[in-house]
Amino acid sequence: MALLYEQISSHVLDEIRRGVLGPGDRVASEMELAAQFEVSRITSKRALEVLREAGLIERIRGKGSFVVRRLPDLDRISVPLKGRLPLRPARPYGVPGSIALVVPDVSESYGLELLCAIEERCAEQGANLILRRTGGRQTDEEQAIEALVALDDVDGLIVFPVHGDFYNASLLRQVLDGYPVVLVDRHLSGIPVSAVHTDNVAASRALTERLLELGHRHIAFVSPPPLNTSSIEDRLEGFRSAFADREPGSYQAYQLTDLRSTLPGSFTPESVSSDLALIREFRAKVPEVTAYVACEYNLARILDRALGQPRDQVISCFDSPGDPIAGPPYLHVRQNQREMGRQAVDLLFAQLRGESVPKLSIVPFELIDAHYN
């Protein structure tokens, strides 16, 4: 029995032989063939590649596939299309040649382990990994996605969305077209795409409850603007929920959520000075605050600098470098970046095999005390 991609390529060959498709005519796209034959996009893409290598069609980037102007001798082409075709050495069915990872950036405190895990998982599966860094700019993210999807050898995307990225037009278009995509670290509300991340609500609540258990009654949450950034929105929700069952008046939650120096591309002397001033002003207004929950490690360091030494306040945060040379330790949530990376690759491969995948996959977290292991 012919494989699915062979059935598709033979169907197109038959249309050419019967004159349904003539020289210069447009051939159905990967997505159209995938929908028509109810197969994955990797299968329809392979079928078109077989037709191209047989000399029957040409593929023009950004325009589509077209029957060649000068057809070869159709009587010398066997059905189904396989075996005698001058094919490149075929990779295992359902395994991509390359996948692409789009990230704002990586650092010792967060992102480096994620990248390493994704690269290692790809290597285990015999797939190449292409990396694009966006610097946290949505325009760069959109351009990177468009450019990568246009590459013939890229069969799927893993995307770490930029801050505030609610509806990236390029990303939304690929998802709606059925292109294989997995998000890491956060989800995008309203977009039906597979996502792998920490349960940020539960993690933030656990971190805040640890501070409450340590005797702190007045605690502040510190972050950049959370709007449209699911990870920060969820962490703020978890922080607030930790106070839900506490006696009003005896326990108080505060928030300072308009800091910007740690946003990608915003770390300048001016922005740092502005954030330091905001933190000191906040501290002067609410001196009763004895503990802080920072949404990320770099912001914890800004807090540390603003509060000065010696200090009585406790700083906690999400993530922290594992090396004391990279920065001071704080009580923090350790996200399982390696598991996140492995699951993202596995989910992408499952999509390429045409399997149904969950829209949300949660990875575990740990609370780590303020010392290095």
Side-chain angles (χ1 to χ4, degrees):
M1 181 177 179
L3 296 174
L4 290 174
Y5 82 88
E6 295 172 352
Q7 296 176 31
I8 298 171
S9 58
S10 296
H11 167 78
V12 176
L13 171 59
D14 181 62
E15 289 191 323
I16 294 173
R17 280 177 165 164
R18 292 188 292 110
V20 177
L21 291 174
D25 286 350
R26 177 184 175 276
V27 179
S29 68
E30 293 173 15
M31 290 308 306
E32 291 167 339
L33 290 171
Q36 179 181 348
F37 288 88
E38 297 183 341
V39 297
S40 68
R41 186 166 175 172
I42 185 64
T43 301
S44 60
K45 182 174 184 176
R46 187 173 183 186
L48 290 174
E49 185 63 14
V50 166
L51 291 163
R52 185 191 68 79
E53 295 189 1
L56 296 171
I57 68 171
E58 60 177 341
R59 307 192 70 187
I60 303 175
R61 184 171 298 172
K63 294 184 178 180
S65 300
F66 301 86
V67 178
V68 296
R69 296 290 180 179
R70 298 184 63 179
L71 284 166
D73 184 353
L74 300 181
D75 292 334
R76 300 187 60 172
I77 297 179
S78 61
V79 178
L81 287 172
K82 64 177 182 178
R84 292 169 59 187
L85 293 175
L87 292 172
R88 295 189 302 256
R91 57 182 183 260
Y93 178 69
V95 176
S98 298
I99 65 173
L101 172 63
V102 180
V103 297
D105 212 334
V106 297
S107 68
E108 177 70 21
S109 61
Y110 189 74
L112 184 57
E113 284 193 52
L114 177 68
L115 170 61
C116 290
I118 290 173
E119 190 277 330
E120 290 166 5
R121 197 63 151 192
C122 287
E124 290 172 4
Q125 301 295 335
N128 298 317
L129 178 67
I130 298 174
L131 174 66
R132 291 288 185 273
R133 295 183 302 137
T134 65
R137 295 176 291 272
Q138 184 167 327
T139 54
D140 287 9
E141 181 181 83
E142 292 178 348
Q143 291 170 4
I145 290 173
E146 292 287 350
L148 290 165
V149 169
L151 296 177
D152 288 337
D153 198 40
V154 173
D155 295 313
L157 297 174
I158 297 176
V159 181
F160 184 155
V162 303
H163 178 90
D165 194 356
F166 190 59
Y167 284 111
N168 178 317
S170 297
L171 183 58
L172 178 59
R173 182 163 55 252
Q174 302 312 322
V175 171
L176 295 179
D177 283 347
Y179 191 85
V181 177
V182 176
L183 304 184
V184 291
D185 188 74
R186 63 191 62 160
H187 58 87
L188 299 182
S189 301
I191 297 183
V193 59
S194 183
V196 186
H197 59 81
T198 303
D199 185 339
N200 284 294
V201 174
S204 185
R205 176 168 184 143
L207 183 59
T208 307
E209 287 178 341
R210 173 67 66 86
L211 293 172
L212 290 166
E213 291 166 2
L214 292 173
H216 298 281
R217 292 171 174 260
H218 296 264
I219 306 172
F221 181 86
V222 181
S223 75
L227 183 63
N228 295 341
T229 301
S230 63
S231 57
I232 301 180
E233 290 176 332
D234 290 348
R235 290 170 191 181
L236 181 56
E237 179 184 343
F239 169 76
R240 290 168 173 164
S241 69
F243 290 85
D245 299 327
R246 302 283 173 169
E247 182 182 350
S250 298
Y251 296 87
Q252 183 65 49
Y254 304 85
Q255 60 187 65
L256 176 60
T257 57
D258 53 359
L259 305 180
R260 297 183 177 274
S261 63
T262 59
L263 292 175
S266 299
F267 192 75
T268 64
E270 294 76 18
S271 66
V272 171
S273 295
S274 175
D275 280 359
L276 290 172
L278 287 172
I279 294 170
R280 289 165 181 157
E281 180 182 349
F282 177 83
R283 172 64 182 151
K285 288 181 178 178
V286 284
E288 58 270 30
V289 170
T290 60
Y292 292 84
V293 175
C295 75
E296 58 178 296
Y297 178 76
N298 287 332
L299 200 51
R301 296 199 64 180
I302 297 291
L303 261 173
D304 203 341
R305 181 176 168 184
L307 297 175
Q309 296 291 343
R311 59 175 167 78
D312 298 325
Q313 301 84 13
V314 170
I315 296 174
S316 65
C317 61
F318 274 68
D319 307 306
S320 182
D323 186 342
I325 296 177
Y330 304 103
L331 168 65
H332 68 277
V333 169
R334 176 185 289 169
Q335 300 187 79
N336 194 335
Q337 298 179 60
R338 288 195 166 271
E339 181 61 21
M340 194 182 302
R342 287 190 290 265
Q343 285 196 30
V345 175
D346 291 347
L347 287 166
L348 192 63
F349 285 177
Q351 290 184 48
L352 293 170
R353 292 192 296 268
E355 300 173 9
S356 177
V357 297
K359 297 305 179 190
L360 181 60
S361 299
I362 299 297
V363 296
F365 65 87
E366 297 178 86
L367 285 185
I368 307 298
D369 290 326
H371 61 76
Y372 288 107
N373 296 327

